[in-house]
Amino acid sequence: MRVCTIGTGYVGLVTGACLAHIGHDVICIDNNPAKVELMKSGHSPIYEPGLSEIMKAAMSSGRLQFSTDLAAGVKHGEILFIAVGTPPLPNGSSDTQYVEAVARGIGQHLNGDYKVIVNKSTVPIGSGDWVKMLVLDGVAEQNKQPSLVGAGDKPAASRLAPQFDVVSNPEFLREGSAIFDTLNPDRIVLGSNSQQAIDLMLKLYAPIIDRQHSEAQAQSPVAVLTTDLGSAEMIKYAANAFLATKISFINEIANICERVGADVTQVAKGIGLDSRIGNKFLNAGIGWGGSCFPKDLAALIHTGADYGYDAQLLKATVSVNQQQRVLVIQKLQNSLKILKGKTIGLFGLTFKPDTDDLRDAPALDIIQILIELGAKVKAYDPIVSPKSASTHPYLANVNLVDSPELLATDSDAIVLMTEWLEFQQIDYHQLAKLMRSPLMIDCRNFLSPTQLTEAGFQHIGIGC
């Protein structure tokens, strides 16, 4: 099938590359010429394991191309994915200006061919009908414009009425494993009132539904849930809100465990064995960050308020998450007392491993508080280089080094912020000798307390 993805962030680029990988003819549109040229050279603008390899293979086969030409993308695609950003506004609502611009732009370039316009961006509930209205506004705006001689467009009076339907197809990708999640999804959600649109989406996703490219082909077909537009949009928000709540819950339990002498890792294992609860997202630590959970929780709370509902549980989820970041500072103060003049090293900056994403990363809050308290901050991250960090305002006063050894040298404590696998393979005996005081605050309960103690460290975890 012919596909166009508009927007080449995590969602748009991964979706486009994976659809090309399974055999579709895909064009990815972005309004940033420099970014498009980078992708044309076979390089991904984001760090995502396996993405560059899939891009290069699909480009070599002729199934994947990149362009800034929205008109060409709309003409090409039977299915048009809107995958632009919807960043949060100060009041918690989503900034939908980019979705609006794309929807109007699509309308301005529609002809008589039937199109399925897919909301892949995380959009406010009710956006399906809103996008349809914007597309029609774009059609009306274009019909008011006289055709240019030689442009190949039909005169306004003779243009065929646009035929299209809008589908909500929320994504459930995890940064760092987005390729796997695309080709091995738990479920596919399709929201629309049009059976014709649903049938085309089922055809598009057939190779994935049948697990033709799955790492577990013996499994049953992927579950497909078809709903109305509003329910599909709510599913995305509800899923992220539940997962964020689960993390905040186990962090609250961890804080109680510390006070009563229990071990939250054992508690989490025990409750995770309950089939009604499950063991995922029960890792106590410094809390959640990234681009999805904070934005989606804020948007859902804001939506509830718009309709006269005070989402107290969701507000508590956010509050616990923010308090968890301050807990790290308290642990440092309990061990080092005055932090002014101390040197604190951070292991990891990104909000999770296998990504270069710093959006709402807990490390950024920790850095700000430490600097305000007069501490000197050093950091090492396997992906975030000193060069790339130089343009990030939160890292302006951080000494970003390129090895764990340099981080440890003359540091009074190390705080593990991101559970990069590399951090389990370090010679901690050597690191302890380089530090002024070998103190490790393990904010992810990721390292072995026994091994660290044997290496000479004082190990402090979360809830244990």
Side-chain angles (χ1 to χ4, degrees):
M1 298 180 71
R2 299 186 310 279
V3 180
C4 171
T5 66
I6 305 163
T8 56
Y10 267 99
V11 176
L13 183 54
V14 170
T15 298
C18 287
L19 289 175
H21 173 71
I22 66 175
H24 298 299
D25 185 4
V26 180
I27 181 170
C28 295
I29 303 297
D30 200 284
N31 62 1
N32 185 331
K35 188 178 182 182
V36 168
E37 289 304 314
L38 177 67
M39 292 184 290
K40 282 182 176 180
S41 69
H43 294 90
S44 170
I46 56 176
Y47 177 78
E48 181 66 35
L51 181 55
S52 291
E53 291 79 5
I54 282 184
M55 285 172 57
K56 290 174 182 177
M59 291 168 68
S60 296
S61 67
R63 293 195 299 267
L64 179 64
Q65 55 184 312
F66 301 94
S67 175
T68 59
D69 188 348
L70 178 60
V74 173
K75 181 179 179 181
H76 169 87
E78 302 168 76
I79 295 178
L80 312 174
F81 283 94
I82 300 177
V84 293
T86 53
L89 293 169
N91 66 355
S93 64
S94 298
D95 185 350
T96 57
Q97 62 173 310
Y98 307 110
V99 175
E100 179 175 354
V102 169
R104 290 184 186 276
I106 289 173
Q108 291 170 1
H109 298 296
L110 287 179
N111 52 29
D113 298 332
Y114 178 74
K115 307 283 185 180
V116 176
I117 300 171
V118 184
N119 266 341
K120 200 69 172 172
S121 301
T122 302
V123 291
I125 299 155
S127 292
D129 292 334
W130 175 70
V131 165
K132 182 176 182 179
M133 176 192 74
L134 293 170
V135 172
L136 291 173
D137 286 348
V139 171
E141 291 168 9
Q142 179 63 13
N143 286 341
K144 293 177 183 178
Q145 302 296 322
S147 295
L148 299 175
V149 177
D153 292 333
K154 295 179 181 180
S158 64
R159 291 191 189 115
L160 296 175
Q163 302 294 318
F164 71 93
D165 285 303
V166 175
V167 171
S168 176
N169 175 214
E171 53 83 18
F172 303 99
L173 306 182
R174 299 167 296 169
E175 292 185 29
S177 56
I179 302 296
F180 177 88
D181 291 344
T182 302
L183 301 177
N184 304 267
D186 295 318
R187 75 287 202 195
I188 293 174
V189 176
L190 302 172
S192 179
N193 298 322
S194 165
Q195 190 59 48
Q196 182 181 5
I198 293 294
D199 289 344
L200 279 175
M201 294 299 293
L202 291 173
K203 179 181 177 183
L204 177 77
Y205 283 131
I208 293 176
I209 294 170
D210 295 338
R211 299 193 184 274
Q212 296 175 22
H213 300 270
S214 173
E215 295 185 11
Q217 295 184 11
Q219 292 184 6
S220 57
V222 174
V224 178
L225 176 65
T226 58
T227 72
D228 58 272
L229 280 165
S231 296
E233 292 161 352
M234 177 59 90
I235 286 169
K236 168 66 175 178
Y237 284 106
N240 278 350
F242 183 82
L243 295 175
T245 302
K246 200 172 181 182
I247 295 171
S248 287
F249 168 81
I250 199 62
N251 281 334
E252 190 113 279
I253 296 299
N255 296 338
I256 299 174
C257 282
E258 286 190 7
R259 288 159 173 79
V260 302
D263 184 339
V264 74
T265 61
Q266 297 300 315
V267 173
K269 186 179 296 184
I271 65 175
L273 291 172
D274 188 325
S275 60
R276 297 168 300 175
I277 297 173
N279 60 1
K280 293 182 179 180
F281 285 79
L282 284 179
N283 298 319
I286 198 171
W288 38 265
S291 63
C292 289
F293 284 6
K295 175 173 68 71
D296 290 355
L297 264 292
L300 197 51
I301 291 169
H302 186 270
T303 297
D306 280 346
Y307 289 85
Y309 182 76
D310 183 15
Q312 297 183 43
L313 179 60
L314 300 184
K315 288 181 177 179
T317 295
V318 173
S319 176
V320 169
N321 194 62
Q322 287 303 118
Q323 293 173 18
Q324 202 68 12
R325 301 183 181 191
V326 178
L327 181 66
V328 178
I329 303 298
Q330 294 172 351
K331 289 178 179 293
L332 284 168
Q333 290 173 325
N334 288 340
S335 296
L336 299 177
K337 308 309 178 186
I338 303 299
L339 296 184
K340 190 178 183 68
K342 299 293 197 304
T343 298
I344 310 299
L346 303 185
F347 262 176
L349 291 170
T350 57
F351 85 96
K352 64 179 294 187
D354 294 322
T355 179
D356 57 356
D357 197 344
L358 289 168
R359 287 176 291 181
D360 202 48
L364 301 183
D365 283 350
I366 301 304
I367 288 169
Q368 184 176 355
I369 297 172
L370 286 173
I371 290 174
E372 289 174 355
L373 291 173
K376 178 181 178 181
V377 182
K378 302 167 71 175
Y380 167 72
D381 189 282
I383 289 297
V384 182
S385 67
K387 181 178 179 181
S388 64
S390 63
T391 60
H392 200 291
Y394 284 93
L395 303 180
N397 297 314
V398 176
N399 178 19
L400 194 57
V401 298
D402 56 12
S403 74
E405 291 74 22
L406 287 174
L407 181 88
T409 300
D410 295 329
S411 288
D412 295 286
I414 293 177
V415 182
L416 187 145
M417 302 296 302
T418 313
E419 60 273 40
W420 287 95
L421 184 60
E422 173 184 324
F423 296 153
Q424 290 186 334
Q425 302 165 350
I426 291 173
D427 182 352
Y428 283 100
H429 286 88
Q430 176 63 22
L431 248 58
K433 296 175 183 177
L434 297 172
M435 298 179 66
R436 280 201 286 256
S437 60
L439 169 65
M440 174 68 72
I441 309 293
D442 184 356
C443 294
R444 302 291 184 179
N445 292 338
F446 185 62
L447 304 176
S448 166
T450 301
Q451 292 179 2
L452 282 171
T453 301
E454 291 175 351
F457 275 88
Q458 177 190 358
H459 173 272
I460 300 175
I462 303 293
C464 53

